[in-house]
Amino acid sequence: MLRISKLTDYAVVLATELASGTAPRSVTRLSAITGIPAPTTSKVLKSMTRAGLVDSVRGKTGGYRLSRPADRISVAELIRAIEGSIAVTECADENDGYVCSLQGDCGVRANWQRINRAVEEALESVRLSDMAVPNSPLVPLLRSQDEAEEKRHAEALEVENHG
Amino acid sequence: MLRISKLTDYAVVLATELASGTAPRSVTRLSAITGIPAPTTSKVLKSMTRAGLVDSVRGKTGGYRLSRPADRISVAELIRAIEGSIAVTECADENDGYVCSLQGDCGVRANWQRINRAVEEALESVRLSDMAVPNSPLVPLLRSQDEAEEKRHAEALEVENHG
DNA sequence: CAAATACAGGACTCAGCCGGTCCTGATTGA
DNA sequence: TCAATCAGGACCGGCTGAGTCCTGTATTTG
Ligand code: FES
Ligand code: FES
């Protein structure tokens, strides 16, 4: 039903938890806090590591920690880390060299791609730091977000300037 | 991958095809036109009928036709007809009396619900009549994103001017 | 060094559901 | 009445999502 997988949900939960501190925390620890079964927690974190969203530290005092500040990680990235490229429809996937089995090119395709891009950009604009706040006015997303968008835009520019 | 099911894709294709005329067309016919296997075509159309999106006419000259003008049918409705309620995450589903197995209420939930609502509204705003046009500037959807969006906007304007 | 703790990587299982088929009616036009 | 069409299920095979487990490697600490 236009679902993201449960594992991706876990990824977000784990990431928000990690966002609350800088010291690495172990799988055991995180599992206990979040209620996600330990082996699964491990699996998800490993994917996140491969995607470069978290850093792993081995050894006795090891564990996982975010690789970047929470406002530099988007929900879209988290989704992509677990599920691969975001594609609402099979023929909406622009990366993959997929050829639709139906009528060669049925116009619908281009429109799906646009919808897809819109959704993706929306998810891109929601950052982990937003998710961490229980009921933040984070997701205007649609229309009338002028001010929120502008604020974000300004922030982005600021960040760029600092880099 | 944040996918809608293939069947839903079929539903959209079939609906756009139906939008091109008012006389009922049979499953056999539609299957031939779209390239969707006949039994599957039938299945999808049956779901759409139950959802009230198309009318069915039995008998020798029967078939399916849209129950409303194409600009009165949204993509969201088509999705819902096939997949049920739109819910990005399990805990984003507001209808269902679902209780998250993780930490009772982890803040993330409210945010998912917002994202969910945003996506849903976006899909609601895209109508079948939009999908029927091969490359319509149909999907502003989320406005004023970044420069990419702006460029896109420019393209759209150009198209409008040409029309 | 050796033991204990943690992550890395991948094989494996199990269940659910998606895509697809088919069969048995009920309706209706010719 | 006959043929075409939809209605409503039952049914099935395969994929993949969720979860587990095992083996190996790195790091800390005594
Ligand atoms: S549905 Fe894939 S090109 Fe039309
Ligand atoms: S993930 Fe469901 S309430 Fe937090």
Side-chain angles (χ1 to χ4, degrees):
Chain A
M1 300 138 204
L2 195 67
R3 285 261 149 103
I4 62 173
S5 81
K6 223 173 187 176
L7 293 189
T8 305
D9 193 6
Y10 294 165
V12 175
V13 172
L14 288 168
T16 57
E17 179 54 35
L18 286 177
S20 72
T22 62
R25 264 158 294 171
S26 73
V27 164
T28 318
R29 185 88 184 285
L30 290 168
S31 166
I33 297 177
T34 60
I36 303 168
T40 304
T41 302
S42 167
K43 188 183 199 176
V44 172
L45 285 168
K46 277 185 265 188
S47 294
M48 292 167 75
T49 306
R50 274 190 288 268
L53 297 176
V54 302
D55 288 337
S56 67
V57 182
R58 298 205 207 191
K60 204 158 195 173
T61 62
Y64 292 92
R65 87 173 91 90
L66 291 184
S67 68
R68 290 174 256 163
D71 62 351
R72 281 288 191 80
I73 296 179
S74 70
V75 170
E77 280 178 293
L78 285 165
I79 296 180
R80 250 179 271 126
I82 309 294
E83 319 199 0
S85 76
I86 294 178
V88 174
T89 310
E90 220 158 0
C91 31
D93 198 337
E94 310 188 58
N95 315 334
D96 210 326
Y98 173 81
V99 202
C100 183
S101 51
L102 311 185
Q103 340 134 265
D105 179 28
C106 76
V108 175
R109 178 171 201 171
N111 293 322
W112 272 127
Q113 290 180 341
R114 286 185 159 226
I115 292 178
N116 192 58
R117 234 173 287 144
V119 170
E120 188 159 11
E121 277 172 29
L123 293 173
E124 205 80 63
S125 79
V126 181
R127 305 214 189 76
L128 184 51
S129 48
D130 298 322
M131 292 302 264
V133 181
N135 218 332
S136 72
L138 80 160
V139 196
L141 281 179
L142 303 172
R143 84 199 120 87
S144 85
Q145 90 228 81
D146 294 272
E147 57 178 348
E149 239 308 316
E150 238 154 286
K151 191 162 64 181
R152 180 150 305 156
H153 217 303
E155 275 180 55
L157 285 178
E158 239 192 326
V159 171
E160 269 174 28
N161 291 340
H162 285 317
Chain B
M1 302 144 194
L2 197 64
R3 283 261 148 101
I4 62 174
S5 81
K6 223 172 186 176
L7 293 189
T8 305
D9 193 6
Y10 293 165
V12 175
V13 172
L14 288 168
T16 57
E17 179 53 36
L18 286 176
S20 72
T22 61
R25 264 158 297 171
S26 73
V27 165
T28 319
R29 186 87 184 286
L30 291 168
S31 165
I33 297 177
T34 59
I36 303 168
T40 304
T41 302
S42 168
K43 188 184 200 173
V44 171
L45 285 168
K46 277 185 266 188
S47 293
M48 292 166 75
T49 306
R50 274 189 287 269
L53 296 175
V54 303
D55 287 338
S56 66
V57 183
R58 297 204 209 194
K60 202 158 196 172
T61 62
Y64 293 91
R65 85 173 94 90
L66 291 184
S67 68
R68 293 174 253 161
D71 61 353
R72 283 289 191 75
I73 296 179
S74 71
V75 170
E77 280 178 294
L78 286 165
I79 296 179
R80 251 179 271 126
I82 308 295
E83 320 200 359
S85 76
I86 295 178
V88 174
T89 310
E90 223 159 354
C91 28
D93 199 337
E94 308 189 60
N95 315 334
D96 210 327
Y98 172 81
V99 200
C100 185
S101 50
L102 311 184
Q103 339 133 266
D105 178 28
C106 76
V108 174
R109 178 172 200 169
N111 293 321
W112 272 127
Q113 290 180 342
R114 285 183 159 226
I115 292 178
N116 193 58
R117 234 172 289 146
V119 170
E120 188 158 11
E121 275 172 31
L123 293 172
E124 204 81 63
S125 79
V126 181
R127 294 183 293 284
L128 183 52
S129 49
D130 297 322
M131 292 301 266
V133 181
N135 218 332
S136 73
L138 79 159
V139 196
L141 278 182
L142 327 156
R143 318 210 21 57
S144 70
Q145 213 65 329
D146 348 354
E147 61 278 291
E149 238 306 319
E150 233 154 300
K151 191 161 63 181
R152 185 151 307 147
H153 212 303
E155 277 180 47
L157 285 178
E158 239 192 322
V159 172
E160 269 174 26
N161 291 339
H162 286 315

